[in-house]
Structure formats: structure tokens, C-alpha cells
Amino acid sequence: MAFAHYILPALALAGTAFAQCSNSGTLTIASSADASQLASCTTYSGSVAIETGLAYPKDNNGRQQVEVTNVRTITGNLTVTSAISLSRLTFGSLESIGGFELGDLTVLSELSMPQLTEVSQLNFTALPALQTLDFGGRGLTRAESILITNTGLSSLTGINNLQQVDTFNINNNEALQNISLQVTSITNALRIEANDRYQSGLTTSFPLLETATNMTFRNCSSISLPALNNVTEDLGFYGNTFETFVAPNLTSAGGLIFVDNTQLTNISLPQLTSINATFQIANNTELKQVNGFTELSVVKGALDFSGNFTEVQLPALTQVQGAFNLQSSARIDCTAFDELSSTNVIRGKYTCLGMRARPGGEGTGSGSSGDGEGEESSASQIFANLPAVVGGSLGLAGFLQMIL
């Protein structure tokens, strides 16, 4: 009886504590009492949301602060959206979260999670007052996906030591000037676009990145990929301002695309041997010479070049399975490509034209210029019609009268 007298209350207390630290739904924090309940757990099994209308006191500026201590792991999601008076959010001991979402927090200027190292999904949207991330120490080292859009961040300190990430999407952060990550692989997609509105463009560096699935860069002033070896899908560059792009160790890509990079003058991929989809270079107005693909042998999709080229060299080319379109506003020598077409190295529709007023993409021209002339002369058009004229009612004398 004595055993039951002491052990049953203890078990009841343990059950209560377990119930406080586990929830099949979502624990909502609206007051300091709710925060204290979460702080009683080192691991919380479930999701946590901070209420839009917080019952926290406001400072003289009408701002609110939320601080949660002790809890180290939240197995579910931590969600904070539309809490329009929240200016500071602190989880001093939190090390790991399932998913982390911050959205539409117009005055949030301080985010402090000095122990955080792991998150499955991080989604930060519409945080115009947030300029820095305080993740402390090494910061995040592992994440499945990261989306940061429309924030006031000027740097990504706190996540720049990421070693593993599946999806990485950074866009429309007007103050962000630099991204540098230590990842060695990106298993899904990387998208960097429309950042650093007020400067010359975002600088990006991925010094250890070796493999990726899909990569898109827009509005960047420099891109460094010194270790990149393979991209299984598309590697695309659109509307950037860098002058030179070099990927010294890239050997293969799914698709390779350079479009509207207005200051680009040089591309060097000396180890690239195969492109497994489209190879496109278009509207890069300062790019006159394409001669940095010395080992490129196989293009399994279409090859589509249009611009102001004076020289295009692909000396190792042995196979183009799709269409071949090369159009330039300048005079260009198509002799080598004519031969590749005639020997069935180029297997799809073949177009090579120089001196084009409006050089266009695949499907906008036809035939070969041979010596670089994109348009037939009027004399060639007359003599092309010679058999029809001579064989008609005018006869030879009439024909001579017509041309003399």
C-alpha cells in the first residue's frame, strides 16, 4: 500500500509532463505562460506556432518580444506568420527543428537561435526588417530545403557553413550582396536570382561544390564554381553582369544555357565533354568569340547559338543529336560546321548564318551561309531563276534584254 501511495502520484506527474511535451496537433504560443510550458521540455514532439495576436506586453514603440528557453528539439514545425508587432524572437537552447517558417513579419529585426544547427525545411518570406541571422557558432550545417525571399538580409552568416542541402532558393533580397556556401552537393535545385538591387549584383561562391542536379543563376556579378564536376540537369545563367565564367573541372551537364548576360566576354569550360540536353548561348551582346569548349564532343539535344559572334570553335565535336542553329550579326565562317552537317555529325536541322540583322534562336533561319553571308545577293536570286526564264516564252534574247 505504501508503494502505491508514492508511486502512483509519481507516475501521474510523469504522464502529465509527457503530455505537456507531446502533441499530435500544434502547440500555440500566445502568452508567456504558453512559452513556459514549452520551456519545461528539452524535446517537444509536435509542432509549435506563435499566435498572430500575441498577448505579450508591448514596448514604447508598440513592439513585442518572445523568448523561449530550455527546449532543444522540436520534432515538428516552428511557424511564425503575420505577428505584425513581433520585433524579436529568441530560442536560446534550440538545436534542431523539423521545419522553420517565418512569414509576413514586417517589424521582426532580431532572430536569435545561437545553438541551432539542423533544420529540415527553412522558409523565410517577407521579413523586410530582418538584416542578420543569429544562429551562433557554426550555424546551420544540415538542411533539406532553404527558401529565403523578400527579406532585409545583407548576408547569410549563420547558414554559410551548410554541408548538406537538397534545395537552395535565394531570391528578391534587395540588400543581400554575397552568398558563399561550403556544400559539396545539391541534390535537387539551386536558384539564386534578383538579389542585391542597390549594388552591382550579388557575388556567389561555392568553393567545395562538386555535383548538383539543377542550378539557375540570375542577376549575379560573379559566380565561382571551381570544384564543380557534374550537373545532371540544367546549368543556366540569365541576366548576370559577370564578364568571365570559368568552371575548370566541369565535365558534363544536362543542359547548358547562357542568355542575356550583357557583359559576358569569355566562357571557359576546358574539361567539358558532354551536354545531355540543350546547349544555348543567346543575346550575350559582348560575347564575340566562343572558343572555350575545346573538349566538348557530344551534345544530345539542340545546339542553339545567336548573337554577335565573330568566331565559334568546337574542335572536338563528334555528335549533335538535335538541331544545330548558329546565327550571328557579324560575318562568321561556317565551313567547319557545313562539313559536320554533311558527314551526319549534326543529325538535326542545320542552320548557320552570318550577317543577320536580327540573329535568332533555333527555328528562325534556315540553311547555311557558307562564307558567312546570311542573305542571298540579288544576282544569285536572278541566276537561280535562269532555267525558268530561258525555258519560258521570252527565250534567250528576252532574258538578255531583261538583264542588260
Side-chain angles (χ1 to χ4, degrees):
M1 293 294 292
F3 174 79
H5 179 74
Y6 290 106
I7 197 63
L8 290 178
L11 289 173
L13 182 63
T16 301
F18 178 79
Q20 288 179 336
C21 295
S22 178
N23 190 337
S24 59
T26 298
L27 171 66
T28 299
I29 295 178
S31 65
S32 57
D34 299 325
S36 296
Q37 177 184 337
L38 183 59
S40 67
C41 311
T42 55
T43 296
Y44 185 79
S45 299
S47 294
V48 175
I50 293 181
E51 180 65 58
T52 299
L54 286 169
Y56 272 76
K58 295 182 178 180
D59 62 18
N60 292 335
N61 295 315
R63 305 292 189 248
Q64 296 171 304
Q65 301 181 11
V66 172
E67 181 174 1
V68 179
T69 59
N70 297 329
V71 64
R72 295 182 180 179
T73 300
I74 297 174
T75 61
N77 300 325
L78 174 60
T79 303
V80 190
T81 58
S82 302
I84 59 174
S85 299
L86 182 65
S87 64
R88 178 180 174 85
L89 179 64
T90 302
F91 278 75
S93 302
L94 191 60
E95 300 171 359
S96 174
I97 320 172
F100 187 15
E101 179 181 2
L102 300 179
D104 297 313
L105 304 172
T106 55
V107 300
L108 182 70
S109 59
E110 296 182 64
L111 175 65
S112 180
M113 296 184 171
Q115 306 302 320
L116 189 65
T117 60
E118 185 173 346
V119 58
S120 295
Q121 297 177 336
L122 184 148
N123 188 332
F124 288 179
T125 304
L127 310 173
L130 186 64
Q131 299 181 10
T132 59
L133 300 173
D134 179 11
F135 290 156
R138 286 180 54 80
L140 288 181
T141 58
R142 296 183 60 187
E144 292 180 10
S145 69
I146 289 181
L147 169 65
I148 298 176
T149 179
N150 191 20
T151 75
L153 290 172
S154 59
S155 77
L156 295 185
T157 301
I159 67 172
N160 55 4
N161 286 315
L162 271 176
Q163 298 170 6
Q164 294 180 346
V165 66
D166 296 339
T167 301
F168 189 77
N169 187 337
I170 311 295
N171 70 82
N172 290 285
N173 302 285
E174 295 182 344
L176 188 61
Q177 299 178 30
N178 175 263
I179 295 175
S180 180
L181 291 189
Q182 306 305 308
V183 293
T184 58
S185 66
I186 296 173
T187 56
N188 189 5
L190 178 144
R191 296 184 66 89
I192 296 175
E193 51 193 342
N195 300 289
D196 193 16
R197 175 180 176 184
Y198 303 110
Q199 302 296 325
S200 58
L202 182 80
T203 62
T204 61
S205 176
F206 298 82
L208 304 179
L209 182 63
E210 297 179 359
T211 62
T213 299
N214 191 298
M215 303 176 72
T216 300
F217 296 90
R218 296 180 189 266
N219 317 112
C220 297
S221 61
S222 70
I223 299 171
S224 177
L225 300 166
L228 187 64
N229 177 259
N230 175 56
V231 180
T232 55
E233 295 181 5
D234 284 351
L235 173 59
F237 304 90
Y238 307 87
N240 299 287
T241 57
F242 53 77
E243 296 182 3
T244 297
F245 177 74
V246 179
N249 291 296
L250 184 66
T251 61
S252 64
L256 181 61
I257 303 163
F258 294 85
V259 173
D260 294 328
N261 303 287
T262 56
Q263 299 180 41
L264 181 63
T265 61
N266 179 58
I267 306 171
S268 178
L269 286 79
Q271 301 299 320
L272 183 68
T273 60
S274 64
I275 297 173
N276 297 316
T278 297
F279 183 18
Q280 183 180 26
I281 300 178
N283 299 325
N284 306 286
T285 51
E286 297 300 316
L287 185 63
K288 310 299 184 184
Q289 297 178 314
V290 179
N291 54 17
F293 301 89
T294 54
E295 300 299 319
L296 180 62
S297 175
V298 175
V299 178
K300 293 185 178 180
L303 186 150
D304 191 5
F305 291 2
S306 58
N308 304 323
F309 317 117
T310 58
E311 176 187 356
V312 175
Q313 294 186 13
L314 299 168
L317 198 62
T318 61
Q319 183 181 129
V320 178
Q321 293 185 5
F324 181 105
N325 175 71
L326 170 55
Q327 297 187 38
S328 176
S329 61
R331 186 181 296 274
I332 192 165
D333 186 358
C334 292
T335 305
F337 301 120
D338 290 345
E339 183 176 349
L340 294 180
S341 178
S342 66
T343 56
N344 206 35
V345 169
I346 298 170
R347 300 179 182 179
K349 180 181 177 182
Y350 174 66
T351 302
C352 187
L353 298 168
M355 301 299 290
R356 300 286 285 178
R358 293 181 295 275
E362 196 275 322
T364 62
S366 61
S368 167
S369 65
D371 66 355
E373 296 291 343
E375 303 293 341
E376 292 182 321
S377 67
S378 59
S380 65
Q381 290 173 357
I382 290 173
F383 284 103
N385 290 324
L386 178 59
V389 173
V390 173
S393 59
L394 287 176
L396 181 58
F399 170 71
L400 291 174
Q401 271 189 346
M402 181 182 73
I403 65 172
L404 293 177

